[in-house]
Amino acid sequence: MTDYLKHRLAMVFDLEQRGIKNKRILDAFLNIPREEFVPTEYKKNAYYDGPLPIGSNQTISQPYIVALMTQMLDVRKSDIVLEVGTGSGYQSAILSRLAKKVISVEIIPKLVDFAKDNHSRCNIKNTEIYFHDGTLSLNQKFDRIIITAASQRLVKSWVEELKDGGILIVPEGDPDYQYLKRYRKIKGKLILEDMSVPVRFVPLTGKNK
Ligand code: SAH
């Protein structure tokens, strides 16, 4: 067994201990090699439970938070998911194992290339990664939307692009302190369902932030 695989198994065990019980989610974490989503110099730390630098002043989120957001998103096999903030492509790779299709958008061109390379190396086929400002509309509807950068408010296009009954997960709050919030769209309006976990994400940028 390689060291990476050993560390991956330990990570999945730890996630389970900490309350991530869904088997499909744990399987996704077992199947996606996190070491492929960090720069070479951090590969040996790939399974440390914290964020790591991925260049351009951005970070790959810590495994536990990726798992928690994935669990909160409650993805079904038939879902089309939008992620705003591709970064390394790790979160979208995890989601690709659970959803029909994942569209992920990123505002930093270098990271678009980094994430695309990571997905093709891992042979992931049901994701599309675009260079796009996620505060602007894609003119498409999604079953689930996940924002992986800190937002001070709900952006109008997210509300519009979410299907009725759909779920939005967003780290929302001050630039240096947010809560992971789960909203559900009911009759055209977003209803806050959960805001129990404090987090610290890199800031959302873009035109309509
Ligand atoms: N989900 C990522 C980590 C996200 S880090 C992963 O799995 O590795 C947050 C990312 O959001 C950064 O890469 C940042 O460039 C991006 N971002 C910030 N504002 C954005 C916007 N308006 N549209 C798209 N991406 C944005």
Side-chain angles (χ1 to χ4, degrees):
M1 202 191 287
T2 65
D3 278 354
Y4 286 136
L5 186 53
K6 257 189 232 162
H7 291 148
R8 201 177 313 139
L9 285 167
M11 171 186 73
V12 170
F13 181 77
D14 180 59
L15 292 175
E16 198 176 2
Q17 294 295 307
R18 293 170 76 181
I20 309 297
K21 301 291 180 197
N22 184 299
K23 177 139 185 349
R24 288 182 69 227
I25 296 180
L26 294 172
D27 266 359
F29 278 84
L30 262 189
N31 278 289
I32 300 295
R34 187 166 160 94
E35 68 276 11
E36 297 292 337
F37 294 80
V38 299
T40 317
E41 63 268 37
Y42 293 109
K43 282 198 192 296
K44 59 181 186 307
N45 306 114
Y47 290 90
Y48 146 78
D49 193 40
L52 290 170
I54 52 172
S56 312
N57 272 326
Q58 305 301 324
T59 54
I60 176 173
S61 309
Q62 83 180 83
Y64 176 65
I65 294 297
V66 176
L68 199 58
M69 290 176 88
T70 304
Q71 182 161 276
M72 288 169 81
L73 199 60
D74 194 18
V75 180
R76 301 159 301 179
K77 281 183 186 153
S78 57
D79 283 346
I80 313 283
V81 181
L82 170 67
E83 179 193 34
V84 173
T86 316
S88 68
Y90 183 67
Q91 172 79 73
S92 49
I94 295 290
L95 291 172
S96 78
R97 311 272 319 179
L98 304 166
K100 183 172 175 196
K101 194 185 211 180
V102 183
I103 314 271
S104 184
V105 299
E106 170 57 55
I107 205 163
I108 299 177
K110 255 193 180 169
L111 291 175
V112 174
D113 295 339
F114 180 56
K116 277 188 179 171
D117 276 357
N118 298 344
H119 281 205
S120 69
R121 232 179 310 108
C122 295
N123 211 16
I124 296 168
K125 306 248 192 266
N126 60 337
T127 56
E128 291 173 16
I129 297 171
Y130 297 110
F131 168 52
H132 174 79
D133 174 354
T135 68
L136 304 176
S137 178
L138 284 167
N139 290 312
Q140 202 180 325
K141 291 272 190 184
F142 298 95
D143 301 288
R144 300 285 186 263
I145 299 181
I146 177 170
I147 313 300
T148 62
S151 182
Q152 297 190 47
R153 60 181 188 86
L154 288 176
V155 171
K156 204 169 129 228
S157 62
W158 302 340
V159 185
E160 289 166 359
E161 292 182 332
L162 190 61
K163 286 188 194 164
D164 223 52
I167 295 172
L168 166 72
I169 303 296
V170 54
E172 191 188 349
D174 289 347
D176 47 17
Y177 191 79
Q178 309 93 38
Y179 277 93
L180 269 188
K181 294 191 182 174
R182 173 184 153 119
Y183 290 95
R184 192 181 290 271
K185 187 168 175 178
I186 296 171
K187 294 188 185 140
K189 284 208 174 122
L190 288 193
I191 309 294
L192 182 62
E193 288 188 333
D194 183 12
M195 55 168 290
S196 47
V197 185
V199 285
R200 201 183 166 153
F201 272 77
V202 295
L204 182 78
T205 59
K207 287 213 174 74
N208 285 335
K209 70 178 168 57

